Amino acid sequence: KFILFLNLLFHPIMTNFSNVIQVGISMLLIVILGYVLTKFHVVSYKSNDTINKFSAKICFFALTFRSLAGKDIREMNFMPFAISAIVVVIGYIISIPIIFIAKKEKFGTYIATTFPTVYINFVISGIPIFLALWDESESTMISIIFLSNDLVASPIFYILSDINQIMNENKKLISEGKPKKKFSIKTIIHILFSLTQNMFLVGNVFGLIYAATAWEVCTFLREIMKLIGDCVLAFSLFCVGAFLSQHSLVSCHWSQFLFAMIYKLVIIPFITTLLCLAFKLPPRLARQCIILTGQPTAAACFAVTDRAKLGTGVSSTMIFWSTFGFIPLLVLWIFVLDKLNLFVDN
């Protein structure tokens, strides 16, 4: 009777929603597989470094490039990107009080806590949920909103993490009685150079250039990019499980965990709703933006933080637990939008 009640309650908005739940379960199973195999030494923990490097240097480019190549840039609506980009910036601003609250590594704690909350899984979990609610012909907007991850969220993270590294180096130099390392043009060039090594960002740039030509992607290129790009999810989730096998399932301070979970699953969709109202987005597009920004932390977040050596504990915790929590919260958001008659989508 309970299942029948749920079917009657959500039937108009949950077509094939069981497929989405199964996707979430499969993601968690890969994390558990990485946890078990590493915990019992079937796979050595050091081998995960190699997997992470392969993902960061090869797979990230393919994943982002394929999402834009073959599209026509003139037919793209960039409002979803604008909405998501503002959400990211607001996230970094709202999280600033962490600097004053944290007892140790104040600036590092701020960066490590904020990035996993604003780095969203638009593709891996976003696509199946999108297709469960809307037609595939509208899925181009996912490629657009996805840009906020790598044109806004991750560049800010890399810049802040480089600044944090310089600050820590200066503390060490002062303790040794040596002159501090100053912020200079050389430092700025180093930060910009580090951005060029972000394969997510590079893939987006080349994808947009390709989209500007409106050329079709040849079968060979499309298939190889698909095969390599599909590795990101499995590799990243497996490495998250491996990391958690050597740490607690909540591998960060409980206050970071609570803040990140509440901000990601509740506050971000709320901010997106307000922005969609402010910019007067069409009802269907607004609802799509709200649903997609309510997705869990992207699995690739772990590889990004691992490369920067900052925030792996929060990112692995958020990937695992936000994947658990986003489905019921997503259903709740859809239910609330319907009850309030917001962005009614016929």
Side-chain angles (χ1 to χ4, degrees), residues 215-236:
W215 294 342
E216 292 290 329
V217 180
C218 66
T219 303
F220 167 76
L221 181 61
R222 182 177 64 250
E223 289 302 312
I224 194 169
M225 288 295 166
K226 182 180 184 302
L227 291 171
I228 296 174
D230 285 346
C231 293
V232 170
L233 174 65
F235 286 171
S236 297

Side-chain angles (χ1 to χ4, degrees), residues 172-188:
K172 185 178 179 180
L173 290 172
I174 291 172
S175 66
E176 294 174 351
K178 297 178 180 178
K180 292 194 299 183
K181 184 178 181 181
K182 297 181 180 179
F183 292 93
S184 60
I185 295 177
K186 186 177 180 180
T187 304
I188 296 172

Side-chain angles (χ1 to χ4, degrees), residues 197-315:
Q197 295 178 303
N198 176 3
M199 289 297 105
F200 264 136
L201 182 59
V202 174
N204 274 322
V205 171
F206 277 89
L208 285 171
I209 293 172
Y210 201 103
T213 67
W215 294 342
E216 292 290 329
V217 180
C218 66
T219 303
F220 167 76
L221 181 61
R222 182 177 64 250
E223 289 302 312
I224 194 169
M225 288 295 166
K226 182 180 184 302
L227 291 171
I228 296 174
D230 285 346
C231 293
V232 170
L233 174 65
F235 286 171
S236 297
L237 291 174
F238 187 91
C239 289
V240 167
F243 180 86
L244 291 173
S245 71
Q246 309 297 309
H247 302 80
S248 168
L249 289 178
V250 179
S251 299
C252 59
H253 194 273
W254 64 268
S255 59
Q256 288 179 284
F257 171 64
L258 288 178
F259 172 84
M261 285 292 287
I262 293 171
Y263 194 88
K264 167 159 284 302
L265 300 179
V266 179
I267 298 177
I268 284 182
F270 178 70
I271 292 174
T272 305
T273 301
L274 295 179
L275 289 172
C276 289
L277 286 169
F279 286 97
K280 298 179 180 180
L281 261 63
R284 181 182 291 253
L285 184 61
R287 211 166 253 237
Q288 290 170 350
C289 289
I290 295 166
I291 296 305
L292 287 173
T293 55
Q295 298 301 303
T297 299
C301 178
F302 180 79
V304 174
T305 54
D306 183 66
R307 178 177 174 271
K309 305 302 178 186
L310 179 66
T312 51
V314 185
S315 64

